[in-house]
Amino acid sequence: MNKKGRLIVCSGPSGVGKGTIVRRYVEEHPGVELSVSATTRGPRPGEEEGVHYYFISREQFEEKIAGDGMLEYASFAGNYYGTPRDKVEQALSRGRDVILEIEVQGAMKVKARCPEALLVFIMPPSFEVLRRRLSGRGTEDAATVARRLSAAAGEMEKARGYDYIVVNDDLEEALADFGAVITAAKCSIHDMKYLIDEVQKDAQTCNDANS
Amino acid sequence: MNKKGRLIVCSGPSGVGKGTIVRRYVEEHPGVELSVSATTRGPRPGEEEGVHYYFISREQFEEKIAGDGMLEYASFAGNYYGTPRDKVEQALSRGRDVILEIEVQGAMKVKARCPEALLVFIMPPSFEVLRRRLSGRGTEDAATVARRLSAAAGEMEKARGYDYIVVNDDLEEALADFGAVITAAKCSIHDMKYLIDEVQKDAQTCNDANS
């Protein structure tokens, strides 16, 4: 029996709503957990250790990198961000599915190391919808919105390397599609070969008994 | 926009409940239809032309074979059974998904001709469950049950060539898994490349307008 959990990588441009989809999915599926990243930046008000991030020092982070302890990592604005390998592997060994919500470069590194990982990219239904969502937030100035849109175009090009694309037009539909993709992965021939083996063995025993 | 329907092939051993799953799925999804086979055997009481089968003569059937008009066909007990290619292609062109409920040899022929077809095999949770279901019907004698079980073992070996395995232990769960597999196929990178192209084109236009 295939008891190991599945690694699910979820990415998408800023403003596409991937955080909402992933959180809702995890809330509704107790066998699934969201990976918590490690970072060298300090906690912001309200951020909790082990919930939002593992807050570690630059020395600790670089030790982890040197010891192959990060599944993927990147540096933004002078700080490291990464996925601690041990936490993910422990959860998978306990049969739990683990979702990594990470950006596209990190996702490609994970795919190279863990080819069995399921890569899901959340897309807006159109570029115009993304532009309206980012502008409509009203929390960023025009230059920031333009920078994010330009980054989004580059990220969406990387979507070609993902296994599945989920369109977030209607949130409930996107959530259903996200769930279907994960359910289907569990039904894939790759994951189900063990059952064919089992049933074949039973059939052999049964036919031997009848002959 | 990718508007062509998807060809879905569903197989499984006798007694596994694939007919129920497929009929329920089609009832609940108006955009999906079940392919009707052609046969040279005469109609049985209650069987309707175009609903249960297309009843055609041996000459007509052999003409279809000669003219590449059968997607797959086989001969059982002196009669031909097959899938008329034109009906399937017409439905797919109208954007409708089409389910073929056919046996494993036919499925392999369809896969060879239509590599984009989605092959789903319905499995019992164990060989013992299948044995109990076939015996429990009480409509067949022991020799028939033994023959069907032996055929089932061979069919399940062929399941390795399918894309997905859906286990029918609980009918509602099997139906949900069957639906998830079809939904996921529509989210696959293969089917969604057109959307990435579209969004990239929009992004280009938008960035040009801003520069």
Side-chain angles (χ1 to χ4, degrees):
Chain A
M1 173 87 199
N2 184 355
K3 282 208 178 98
K4 214 178 160 230
R6 179 172 283 274
L7 188 58
I8 300 145
V9 174
C10 183
S11 311
S14 172
V16 80
K18 60 186 179 302
T20 309
I21 293 171
V22 162
R23 272 192 302 277
R24 278 276 304 275
Y25 186 80
V26 169
E27 276 167 26
E28 292 166 16
H29 294 81
V32 184
E33 58 190 67
L34 191 54
S35 164
V36 176
S37 297
T39 182
T40 56
R41 80 155 166 76
R44 290 175 186 160
E47 282 184 347
E48 281 176 63
E49 165 73 16
V51 176
H52 299 91
Y53 285 99
Y54 295 108
F55 296 100
I56 63 177
S57 70
R58 172 164 289 268
E59 291 66 39
Q60 286 172 312
F61 205 110
E62 290 177 345
E63 250 172 52
K64 285 250 184 210
I65 295 172
D68 195 23
M70 289 289 171
L71 208 48
E72 55 81 35
Y73 69 95
S75 175
F76 290 113
N79 282 302
Y80 283 124
Y81 295 80
T83 303
R85 194 157 65 88
D86 52 354
K87 307 273 180 191
V88 170
E89 287 181 351
Q90 283 158 18
L92 294 174
S93 307
R94 289 197 310 273
R96 295 175 68 79
D97 292 342
V98 178
I99 302 183
L100 309 186
E101 188 194 330
I102 56 178
E103 40 68 60
V104 291
Q105 282 82 1
M108 294 299 129
K109 286 181 201 162
V110 171
K111 187 74 179 176
R113 292 189 63 158
C114 316
E116 75 288 359
L118 188 71
L119 265 63
V120 185
F121 193 91
I122 315 291
M123 286 276 278
S126 71
F127 197 74
E128 178 55 23
V129 166
L130 188 68
R131 197 189 60 73
R132 269 187 274 138
R133 283 189 198 159
L134 282 173
S135 313
R137 282 177 171 180
T139 50
E140 284 98 5
D141 58 31
T144 305
V145 169
R147 202 169 54 244
R148 292 218 166 144
L149 281 174
S150 169
E155 283 159 10
M156 288 192 275
E157 180 56 35
K158 292 279 196 322
R160 297 179 198 273
Y162 283 64
D163 301 307
Y164 291 97
I165 306 288
V166 166
V167 177
N168 188 12
D169 189 2
D170 173 86
L171 176 64
E172 297 307 319
E173 275 180 38
L175 197 58
D177 286 354
F178 187 73
V181 159
I182 297 173
T183 299
K186 293 174 194 291
C187 296
S188 69
I189 188 68
H190 175 271
D191 276 36
M192 294 301 280
K193 276 206 176 107
Y194 82 94
L195 182 66
I196 304 179
D197 292 341
E198 271 182 15
V199 172
Q200 293 284 86
K201 212 190 296 169
D202 290 353
Q204 192 59 48
T205 312
C206 178
N207 289 339
D208 287 352
N210 287 338
S211 64
Chain B
M1 173 87 199
N2 185 355
K3 283 207 176 99
K4 213 178 161 232
R6 179 172 282 275
L7 188 58
I8 300 144
V9 174
C10 182
S11 311
S14 174
V16 80
K18 60 185 178 303
T20 308
I21 292 171
V22 163
R23 272 190 302 277
R24 279 277 305 273
Y25 185 80
V26 170
E27 277 167 26
E28 292 166 16
H29 295 81
V32 184
E33 58 190 66
L34 192 54
S35 164
V36 176
S37 297
T39 182
T40 57
R41 80 154 165 76
R44 291 177 185 156
E47 283 184 347
E48 281 175 62
E49 165 72 16
V51 176
H52 299 91
Y53 284 100
Y54 296 107
F55 297 100
I56 64 179
S57 70
R58 172 164 289 268
E59 291 67 36
Q60 285 173 311
F61 205 110
E62 288 176 346
E63 250 171 51
K64 285 249 185 210
I65 296 174
D68 195 24
M70 288 290 173
L71 209 48
E72 56 82 33
Y73 69 94
S75 174
F76 290 114
N79 282 303
Y80 283 124
Y81 295 80
T83 303
R85 195 158 63 88
D86 53 354
K87 307 274 182 191
V88 171
E89 287 180 354
Q90 283 157 20
L92 294 174
S93 305
R94 289 197 310 272
R96 295 176 67 79
D97 292 342
V98 178
I99 304 184
L100 309 185
E101 188 194 328
I102 54 178
E103 40 68 61
V104 292
Q105 282 83 1
M108 293 300 129
K109 286 181 201 161
V110 172
K111 187 73 180 176
R113 292 190 61 158
C114 316
E116 75 288 0
L118 189 71
L119 266 64
V120 185
F121 192 91
I122 315 290
M123 286 275 278
S126 71
F127 197 74
E128 178 55 23
V129 165
L130 188 67
R131 197 189 60 73
R132 269 187 273 137
R133 284 188 196 160
L134 282 173
S135 314
R137 283 177 172 181
T139 50
E140 284 97 6
D141 59 30
T144 305
V145 169
R147 203 169 53 243
R148 294 218 164 146
L149 281 173
S150 170
E155 283 158 10
M156 288 192 276
E157 179 56 34
K158 293 277 196 318
R160 296 179 200 274
Y162 282 64
D163 301 307
Y164 291 98
I165 307 288
V166 165
V167 177
N168 188 11
D169 191 2
D170 172 84
L171 176 64
E172 297 306 320
E173 273 180 38
L175 196 57
D177 286 355
F178 187 73
V181 159
I182 297 173
T183 299
K186 293 173 195 291
C187 297
S188 69
I189 188 68
H190 175 273
D191 276 36
M192 294 300 281
K193 275 204 176 109
Y194 82 94
L195 182 66
I196 305 179
D197 293 340
E198 272 182 14
V199 172
Q200 291 285 84
K201 212 190 296 170
D202 291 353
Q204 191 60 48
T205 313
C206 177
N207 288 338
D208 288 351
N210 287 337
S211 64

